[in-house]
Each structure stands twice: as structure tokens, then as C-alpha cells.
Amino acid sequence: MTLPSDAFRHVASRPHEPLRTFHPRRSPLSRDRQDALAQLWPTLGFSVHDEAAPYPSSDGLLDPVALFGRVAPLVVEIGSGMGETTAVMAAADTGRDYLAIEAHLPGIAHLLGLVDTLGLTNVRVAHGDALDLLRRAIAPDSLDAVHVYFPDPWPKARHHKRRIIQPAHVELLRSRLRIGGTLHCATDWLEYAEQMRDVLAADPGLSSSGLVPRPDHRPVTKFEQRGLDLGHPVHDVIARRTR
Ligand SMILES: C[S@@+](CC[C@H](N)C(=O)[O-])C[C@H]1O[C@@H](n2cnc3c(N)ncnc32)[C@H](O)[C@@H]1O
């Protein structure tokens, strides 16, 4: 089996596309993670960028019924990191399916290990740039929820253009939600929380909560815990698609 490759991370996005929203880091895979990939990737994973091993599709769009083997509301998590939050939420919410999209391969492998340990049947993983997948392959009006938890804050002003929560990206995410579906963001970076609040409030198709505390159904993420240990305040913003 060919393992998914991190090579795409080092290729700049094409000129007409927005900049990548993640850091191009390469990390070796531990033996456990190589084993998890070897065993579980063929049935539970796909590469966003590998045209030789495409996702199950219908008319060029991702076919969630073929991917999960059932009809159920679909949650997409962008930047699932090591996947602990995805696994806990999916285990507590077996009536919905979870597609975790992550650019960092060790995180994908770690989540596959959790899926196996917990015996989850409602999680699939996609390796690559979530924005590329949403643009090209996720049908409009199709998602029950999009989760963006602790996205890279890109703190320097000259890097703000790389932030995932900005008007053009939010318009894309909103267009993929069904009417009534939710976009749930969280960050421990106050100035980014304010940007999330303002961008979601300004989108004409969303009704937003403003800054709210973490709801009980969202477990503390790995990255969030690091922020909490440093004394960072955490804010969530939850918006519902209205039209
Ligand atoms: C700061 S980490 C947070 C991870 C996790 N959500 C948590 O809270 O522990 C942000 C993650 O988002 C991923 N990421 C950022 N932009 C992405 C994109 N466009 N597509 C897929 N993954 C992305 C990064 O690779 C990184 O692992």
C-alpha cells in the first residue's frame, strides 16, 4: 500500500488560490502510527490531493453515503490535529458522521488509532488541505456542521491573510452547510476570537452567537489545554446558516 504523502504541504498553493492556512512542517511517523495507517487508511482514509486514489464520488463530488455506508448528517472538522476531540465527539454522537480533515499526517494516523481503540464506525479521515476539498468536492448545502477548533492563529500581522477564519473562507464554509447547519469555531487567541466574532457576524447568511464559553458538547482540545496552561482565555463562536 502507498501511504499518503506529506509532500503537498511544501508545494505553494496555485496562484489563483488563497494561501495555505497551515504551517509546512514535516514530522516522522512513529512505528505505531505507521501501523495504524497501514491497517486503517485503506478503509477509513483518503488523500485530498492524490488523484490516483480518489475519494468515493458521484458527479465529481464526495459521496458521503458511499464513504460511511449509511445516510446520516455529516460533520466536517477542519484541522483535527491529533484527533482526540474528534474521537470523543464522534463517540458521544453516533447518529452523525464525522469527516476529520487534517494536513498533518501524524495527526491523521493518531486519530485512526483512536478510532480503532474506541471501535468508532462514524469517523473517516481526509489528509490534505480542507479548503481545497470543500471547494472542489463537498456539495453545497450538504453539511450539518463545520468545526474549526483552535486553528493556527498566525499572530503576526503580515500573516493574518493565512487565517482560516476570514470572510472568503467563511463564505465557502457557509455555502457547504445546509440551512440551519452550524459553524462552530474556538480559539485561545483573543484578537483572533474578536476577528472570528466580527467575520461571522458580518456574513449575511449566518446568525452568530458572538463570543461564548465552551459548550459542554465540545471537549477541551489538546491545543486548547496548552493555551489554558499558559493562562489564555478561550472563546467559542457558534453561527447558524440562515439562508
Ligand atoms: C493549532 S492546531 C489545532 C489542532 C486541534 N484542533 C486542537 O485543537 O488540538 C491547527 C491544525 O489545523 C491544521 N490545519 C490548518 N489549516 C488546515 C487546512 N486548510 N486543512 C487541513 N488542516 C489544516 C494544522 O495542520 C494543525 O494541525
Side-chain angles (χ1 to χ4, degrees), residues 44-127:
L44 301 182
F46 66 88
S47 291
V48 173
H49 307 275
D50 183 358
E51 280 157 25
Y55 39 81
S57 64
S58 163
D59 296 334
L61 295 174
L62 179 77
D63 179 351
V65 176
L67 183 65
F68 288 90
R70 67 169 183 172
V71 177
L74 179 59
V75 179
V76 160
E77 182 173 356
I78 297 178
S80 44
M82 300 312 280
E84 288 94 345
T85 297
T86 323
V88 170
M89 291 187 84
D93 186 20
T94 53
R96 294 197 295 178
D97 290 331
Y98 281 71
L99 175 61
I101 315 173
E102 173 54 62
H104 185 52
L105 190 55
I108 289 278
H110 189 253
L111 173 54
L112 286 173
L114 295 174
V115 166
D116 193 37
T117 304
L118 297 172
L120 301 176
T121 58
N122 60 334
V123 177
R124 300 292 182 272
V125 298
H127 175 235

Side-chain angles (χ1 to χ4, degrees), residues 63 172 232 240:
D63 179 351
L172 170 69
H232 294 180
R240 189 168 295 281

